[in-house]
Amino acid sequence: MTKNELMNKLKQQLKRLEQDVLQHDSQLPKTQQKMLLDIERFNRSLFIQSGAKLFPCIEQIAKNIEQLEKQFTFKLAQQTMLYHCQRIQDQFTAVKRALQATPLDIKTAQHKKTIKRKMAVKRHQLAHQESGFSWIASHVMQNSHKLYEELNKHLNWQKKMQYKIDILQSELAHCHESDKITRQNEILLLHRRLGKCRQAITYIEERIQLYERPNKNRNYS
């Protein structure tokens, strides 16, 4: 095969592959592009590329073919020329495999995302169980709307307990001596409950911040 025949063959291969890649890239939804964003799909010795779109590979192959064409003018050793030709063929093969592997890569990325989400939920559930606030339903911790409902519930409890403490303290100043101990015990018990309620309010507010922080960036994982 002459130099011209070889170069024409490589350029024709590239043109056909480019059409397949352009079709592949244009048909990928943005959600799937995000899933494959950080995935390395090639050996670094072949391409510097990551993510879903494969057109950067076409650009790199085109540059390699152009360099090969220039190298013919330098009359390099046959072994060197064969090496460069083989490398270009390896790149063609790798891109074709990547085209076929995209659906599997997407399924793998979806599976990893699901596992990551489940692990995050388990971590939150375990942290909740160990927090000392297990009377708050675990499913509440996974829903911002329910978290706000729970916060409002505790804020109302806090207000009611503080109001009752104020009433009891007012009664304490005017009640009979025999009733003072009872009133003091009631006030002490309410102060304990109030302290626990305030701790729960702080805890829920922290959960809301943790829940909403990733949502502000992109989504909750």
Side-chain angles (χ1 to χ4, degrees):
M1 185 182 296
T2 66
K3 180 195 85 170
N4 289 336
E5 288 174 339
L6 173 62
M7 297 312 302
N8 286 335
K9 181 181 177 182
L10 291 175
K11 289 175 182 178
Q12 287 172 7
Q13 276 186 269
L14 179 63
K15 190 173 182 179
R16 289 194 297 270
L17 187 59
E18 181 178 357
Q19 295 306 311
D20 292 339
V21 166
L22 287 171
Q23 184 179 4
H24 166 275
D25 289 358
S26 65
Q27 291 178 348
L28 275 176
K30 288 186 177 180
T31 52
Q32 294 180 358
Q33 291 180 33
K34 288 181 180 179
M35 283 182 190
L36 301 177
L37 187 62
D38 299 321
I39 292 180
E40 291 188 7
R41 306 177 71 187
F42 300 99
N43 188 309
R44 285 186 174 272
S45 65
L46 289 177
F47 296 107
I48 301 174
Q49 188 273 345
S50 62
K53 292 194 173 184
L54 299 176
F55 192 73
C57 300
I58 296 296
E59 294 176 324
Q60 292 175 57
I61 295 174
K63 287 181 181 178
N64 288 340
I65 291 175
E66 184 181 344
Q67 289 175 358
L68 177 63
E69 194 167 21
K70 290 178 180 178
Q71 287 170 354
F72 273 109
T73 62
F74 298 119
K75 296 181 179 179
L76 298 177
Q78 185 177 4
Q79 192 66 28
T80 303
M81 302 303 293
L82 287 173
Y83 167 79
H84 289 294
C85 289
Q86 185 59 53
R87 187 169 185 275
I88 291 171
Q89 288 300 331
D90 289 343
Q91 288 179 316
F92 278 130
T93 302
V95 174
K96 289 175 183 177
R97 286 176 180 170
L99 287 169
Q100 295 174 348
T102 292
L104 179 60
D105 289 337
I106 290 169
K107 286 183 180 179
T108 301
Q110 288 174 330
H111 181 62
K112 287 181 179 179
K113 186 177 180 180
T114 300
I115 291 176
K116 186 178 179 181
R117 187 183 294 113
K118 287 180 179 179
M119 290 178 65
V121 170
K122 285 183 180 180
R123 285 197 301 269
H124 284 301
Q125 288 175 340
L126 182 60
H128 177 56
Q129 291 170 5
E130 296 175 348
S131 67
F133 300 101
S134 55
W135 75 81
I136 304 173
S138 182
H139 71 272
V140 171
M141 297 293 105
Q142 309 304 322
N143 186 301
S144 62
H145 180 69
K146 291 185 181 296
L147 277 169
Y148 277 107
E149 286 183 352
E150 196 71 24
L151 179 61
N152 287 332
K153 189 192 300 183
H154 279 76
L155 289 171
N156 287 332
W157 286 345
Q158 176 184 241
K159 190 183 296 183
K160 288 177 181 179
M161 281 188 281
Q162 186 61 60
Y163 177 75
K164 194 167 184 179
I165 288 171
D166 292 342
I167 296 295
L168 287 172
Q169 286 179 332
S170 177
E171 291 176 354
L172 183 63
H174 303 93
C175 71
H176 191 274
E177 193 70 28
S178 59
D179 294 328
K180 282 191 175 182
I181 293 178
T182 300
R183 292 286 187 279
Q184 288 171 342
N185 286 336
E186 289 176 354
I187 291 170
L188 181 60
L189 180 61
L190 279 170
H191 270 297
R192 288 175 181 169
R193 290 178 178 172
L194 180 61
K196 195 69 175 175
C197 183
R198 285 171 175 165
Q199 289 176 0
I201 288 170
T202 300
Y203 173 72
I204 295 168
E205 288 174 339
E206 288 174 350
R207 296 308 101 182
I208 289 173
Q209 289 179 2
L210 287 172
Y211 187 94
E212 292 186 340
R213 191 178 301 144
N215 276 316
K216 289 178 181 177
N217 296 330
R218 182 165 58 91
N219 67 328
Y220 181 62
S221 55

